[in-house]
Amino acid sequence: MRVPYPAMMKDATGGHDANTLEKFYTDENGTVTIVNTYAGVRGAWSVELNKPMPNVTYNVVAQVDGGLQNTFTLKMDSNGHLESAKGHIVSTLVGDANRNGYQQRKAGWLGGPGYEGGHAAPSFFGFIGERGGFFPQHEWQDRKAGTPNEIDEANNFHDTEMEVIKKAKTTLQSGAPLDLRWEMKLEPGSKPGMPRTLKLLYSFDDELSVAKEFNNLRSRQIG
C-alpha cells in the first residue's frame, strides 16, 4: 500500500503556495517509490530533484507561459541516475529561469572530455533544471560541437530538438492549442549514469509518433 506524506518546497520568493506542495509515496517497507513535486526555478530549486533517489519515479509539474502547466515523469535507475523522461507539453517557457548551469556541468563531468550535461527534454518546454533531469550527452548530439559521433551526420539530437521546438512555436503562434508528447529513454552503457543510446519518441496532437535513436558514445555509429 502506498502511503502519501506531504512536504513543502520554497517558491521563487522564499515562501510557500499551492504550487510547492510535494507528496512522497512509500511502499509497505517505508521506502519512497514515488515523489510528486514541482520543477524549481533559479533561486528556488527543488532539493528532491537535485538529489534524486534510486528506483524512484518523480512526477513533476512545471509552471509555464500562459498560466499553464506541463507535466513530466522521470524514472531513476538503481544508482539514482536518470533512466527515462516522459512529458505532456501544452506551452513553452520563454527565458532561462529554469536553467541551472552548475547541475548541467556536473552531469557532463560524469562523461568526461567531449561530454556535456544534456536535458532529457527541452528546457524551452519548462523541463527541470535540477540534476535529476540531466545526463552526460555527447557534445555533437547536444549542440553539434566537436567531432560527429554518427556515420549519418544528419542524425543528431540537436537538429531534432530544434525541429520540435520550431513546430511547437508555429502551433502556438497560429493560435492553436499545443499538445505535444515527448519521451526519452536512456539505454545504459558500461558506466553507471552514462547512456550509450538515446531513444526519443514524440508526437503532436493525434499525429503518428516519430521515433529517433541517437548514438551517445564517442565512436561513430550508423544512425
Side-chain angles (χ1 to χ4, degrees):
M1 177 180 179
R2 291 178 177 150
V3 179
Y5 59 94
M8 300 289 282
M9 61 178 278
K10 292 182 179 180
D11 61 22
T13 67
H16 301 96
D17 61 27
N19 292 332
T20 61
L21 177 66
E22 297 178 303
K23 289 185 178 180
F24 298 71
Y25 294 81
T26 61
D27 61 18
E28 61 274 10
N29 298 314
T31 301
V32 175
T33 57
I34 298 174
V35 176
N36 293 349
T37 186
Y38 285 79
V41 292
R42 190 173 296 120
W45 298 114
S46 165
V47 174
E48 298 302 325
L49 292 175
N50 263 336
K51 296 182 178 180
M53 295 177 284
N55 299 316
V56 171
T57 296
Y58 293 84
N59 297 315
V60 184
V61 174
Q63 305 296 324
V64 289
D65 299 333
L68 301 175
Q69 296 179 331
N70 291 341
T71 55
F72 299 96
T73 297
L74 285 66
K75 292 186 178 181
M76 303 299 153
D77 65 17
S78 59
N79 293 300
H81 296 296
L82 184 64
E83 184 176 87
S84 67
K86 183 183 295 186
H88 180 210
I89 296 157
V90 297
S91 188
T92 60
L93 183 62
V94 177
D96 60 358
N98 62 325
R99 297 191 71 92
N100 189 328
Y102 171 72
Q103 294 296 344
Q104 190 165 8
R105 291 191 299 273
K106 188 176 178 181
W109 295 338
L110 183 61
Y115 284 84
E116 303 170 340
H119 293 83
S123 62
F124 185 73
F125 295 134
F127 188 68
I128 72 170
E130 288 88 350
R131 178 67 181 88
F134 290 112
F135 65 95
Q137 186 173 27
H138 190 276
E139 59 185 353
W140 170 256
Q141 297 294 347
D142 186 34
R143 56 188 180 90
K144 297 180 72 175
T147 303
N149 70 336
E150 298 274 8
I151 298 296
D152 178 5
E153 294 183 14
N155 187 63
N156 65 84
F157 176 80
H158 176 271
D159 285 352
T160 300
E161 180 182 38
M162 293 300 102
E163 289 172 5
V164 172
I165 289 175
K166 181 180 179 180
K167 186 169 182 177
K169 286 181 176 179
T170 300
T171 298
L172 291 172
Q173 289 169 355
S174 71
L178 177 63
D179 183 8
L180 168 63
R181 307 282 175 164
W182 173 284
E183 182 175 3
M184 173 78 87
K185 291 184 178 180
L186 309 179
E187 295 295 318
S190 58
K191 181 179 179 181
M194 178 67 190
R196 67 183 310 277
T197 306
L198 317 176
K199 293 185 176 181
L200 173 63
L201 187 71
Y202 69 88
S203 64
F204 284 88
D205 301 307
D206 56 356
E207 296 178 3
L208 291 176
S209 296
V210 177
K212 296 275 190 173
E213 186 170 319
F214 309 102
N215 174 42
N216 198 45
L217 301 178
R218 288 186 177 86
S219 58
R220 288 190 176 216
Q221 304 288 322
I222 297 176

